[in-house]
Each structure stands twice: as C-alpha cells, then as structure tokens.
Amino acid sequence: MTTDLTDSYGRTIKDLRISITDRCNFRCTYCMPEEGMKWLPRSEVMTFEEIERLARIFVGHYGVTGIRLTGGEPTVRAHLPVLVQKLAGISGEAGPIDLSMTTNGATMRLVAESLREAGLKRVNISLDTLDREKFLRMTRRDELERVLDGIEAAKQAGFDPVKINAVVQRDVNENEIVDLATYGREHGVEVRFIEFMPLDAEGHWMNDKVVGQDEIVAAINAVYPIEQVRARGAAPADRFRYLDGAGVIGVIPSVTKPFCGNCDRVRLTAEGDFRTCLFATDEFDLLSALRAGETDDQVAARIEAAVSTKWAGHRINQVNFIRPGKSMSQLGG
Ligand code: SAM
Ligand code: SF4
C-alpha cells in the first residue's frame, strides 16, 4: 500500500533525483572549479544496493513514479548498467518507474546501448554551445565532437525523446540561442534552455548573467515562430511548439518564473543526504540511517519528517536568499 508523500503546502512528491557520484570528467564553469574539488571518499558514496533500497522505499511506500540519475557525471560511475538494471526492475502501483538520466554526453557512444538494454528509458544531454572554442572555455574540455557524437549514439540506441539541456549565460552563449534551436530542429531533439542559477562552485553567479525566459523565447520566435504548448504543471519546463511543425523547445525559468508552487521533486546526494529543494540549506542523512541498521519503516519516517520541512519556494533575488553550501555537481542537478 502506498501513501502520498505530501508536504505542508499540499504538494505531493512524485519525482526523485539521485546523484550517483560527485565526480565528473568535465569542469563546466557554471558548476565546478577548474581545480580543487574535494571528492567524497568512496566509502561515503552510496553503493548500488543502498541506492536501490532507498529507491524502493520512495516507490513502494510513497508512489514516486520517476527517478532521474544525475551527478556529477553519472556515466563516470563504474558498472552503471548494473545499477540501471536494478532500478529499472522497480515497479510501483502505477507500473514500472520512468527511469531517466542527465549526462554531459561525452561517453554516450560507449555506454548508450548497454544503458538502453539495462532498461534506461530517457536521457537528457547537456550542450551549451556548438562552437568548439567556446565549448572548451565553458567545460574546460575539448570534447564538443564527442558530445555531438554522443547525442547521435543516444538516438541510435533508441532513446526517445533525447533532450538537450543548454544553460544560457549573458555574454557567454546568449548569441547561440537560435543556433541551438536550429540544431534541435535539424536533429530531432528537444532543446531545453535553462536559466543560469546561483549554484556555481566559484560563486560568480550574478543576476545580470541570467538570460530570462522572455528573452530566450523572443529570440527564437523572431526566427522560428513558436506558441506555448500547455500549462507547465509539475514539469519544470515551459514548452513551445514551432508553428511550422518542426518540433518543440523547452525553457526552464527557475530564476525569472520559479515553478516552486508545483514542485513535486526531491533529491538524494551521492553521499545519501536527502534534500527537499536544490536550494535547501538542510539535509537529512539517510545513508547513515541505513548503515545503522534502521528498517524501511524507520527510514520512511525520516523521509516524511524531512518532506514536511519543504519550503514554499526558493528566494533567489530576494534579500534573504542564502546560497546552499554545495554547488550543482554536489547537489545532483
Ligand atoms: N553532468 C551531467 C550534465 O552536465 O548533464 C549531470 C549533472 S549536471 C549538474 C545537471 C544539469 O545541471 C546540467 O544540465 C547542467 O547544465 C545543469 N547546471 C549545472 N550548473 C548549473 C547552474 N549553475 N545553473 C543552471 N543549470 C546548471
Ligand atoms: Fe560536470 Fe555536469 Fe557539472 Fe558540467 S554540469 S561540471 S558536466 S556535473
């Protein structure tokens, strides 16, 4: 019997993001520093068995329907298909879970097929620029060609849809909004433009570096007319359809039009800390509870207590906003 996991504002949790590693083969400027990241010792990172047990509690006790693997870069975790197979086998009252992953795409050519065979359903691949020099500046890795090939590999392996995540920053890649839209149209992938959030490790985020949804939509609409598809609901992206039928784009306006009121999402960090918001300042250590021998019901009680503390919304741009002590790669974006 599942019960709803509902917070004190009436939002029911359906979506769980699990960071499976804090490590990464890129060093994107909006996420990590070039050097000096302190990695978690392996003994403090959740094992596959621990991830599976927590996932089963979220699905079995609380009817969570979607799980997304993230990081850090999830594909740097050894034997990833083994984890995917374990999670793909989890079913709730609503049927098998919607299992997806967010990746930088650099190794997708190598892993796409085995992940698909293991039961992964969908992938989002990050791509912020189509310019090789700029890609190197933004990710500190000369891997544009491998990522583009990784996107093709994901399509060939049968992932559908393949979505592209593009973080837009003022004076960095804002001049490529239309080029990225064109890429999406030509390659049959849905590009989702993400507003830059104050979660970069180096603390360089400033409000004037955010390119907002209205500006993104106007830039695309001027070249390819679009119309909004439907109300956003719990999904973070507002979606827009090309009037000529060439597909859809998404915009994730976390800063200019926060969607906190409909948020149905919670997160687990790689070290098994439970977070009820990207911007939460509190974490609840579920891994220690598992390792101390607590039963599923005891762990579930911790989850319920944590969810009851979920905020109404983040306070970016307000005077009382406090940046979380962790950056995106440590939180699980
Ligand atoms: N390494 C994988 C990747 O890059 O796709 C998964 C983890 S990454 C932290 C998840 C997503 O967060 C990526 O799409 C990335 O572009 C996005 N992201 C990272 N830092 C961000 C920031 N400061 N603001 C907005 N999005 C960010
Ligand atoms: Fe790595 Fe993803 Fe962060 Fe880039 S955004 S540094 S690929 S975790």
Side-chain angles (χ1 to χ4, degrees), residues 30-31 70-73 102-104 126 165 167 195-197 328 333:
Y30 51 67
C31 180
T70 180
E73 173 49 39
T102 303
T103 171
N104 63 29
S126 298
N165 285 357
V167 178
E195 292 181 355
F196 180 32
M197 293 184 277
M328 196 63 149

Side-chain angles (χ1 to χ4, degrees), residues 17 21 23-26 28-32 69-75 101-105 124-128 164-169 194-201 205 254-255 278-279 323 327-333:
R17 307 238 149 168
T21 177
R23 293 170 197 238
C24 187
N25 44 358
F26 283 14
C28 303
T29 51
Y30 51 67
C31 180
M32 280 199 189
L69 303 181
T70 180
E73 173 49 39
T75 62
M101 177 177 80
T102 303
T103 171
N104 63 29
N124 286 16
I125 300 180
S126 298
L127 175 72
D128 309 310
I164 303 300
N165 285 357
V167 178
V168 188
Q169 283 172 282
I194 303 176
E195 292 181 355
F196 180 32
M197 293 184 277
L199 292 170
D200 55 315
W205 183 91
S254 323
V255 179
L278 259 183
F279 295 94
R323 269 186 76 117
S327 57
M328 196 63 149
S329 66
Q330 298 165 311
L331 298 174

Side-chain angles (χ1 to χ4, degrees), residues 163-236:
K163 294 185 183 173
I164 303 300
N165 285 357
V167 178
V168 188
Q169 283 172 282
R170 178 86 58 213
D171 298 331
V172 178
N173 61 344
E174 66 178 307
N175 60 347
E176 285 195 74
I177 292 171
V178 172
D179 292 348
L180 286 163
T182 304
Y183 172 86
R185 289 165 59 91
E186 290 176 351
H187 291 81
V189 290
E190 179 176 330
V191 182
R192 294 148 34 107
F193 296 91
I194 303 176
E195 292 181 355
F196 180 32
M197 293 184 277
L199 292 170
D200 55 315
E202 294 170 308
H204 291 156
W205 183 91
M206 283 193 307
N207 198 28
D208 59 12
K209 293 190 180 166
V210 177
V211 180
Q213 164 161 321
D214 292 347
E215 205 178 324
I216 293 168
V217 168
I220 295 170
N221 190 50
V223 181
Y224 306 117
I226 48 179
E227 67 180 5
Q228 189 149 4
V229 176
R230 59 171 167 76
R232 187 161 57 195

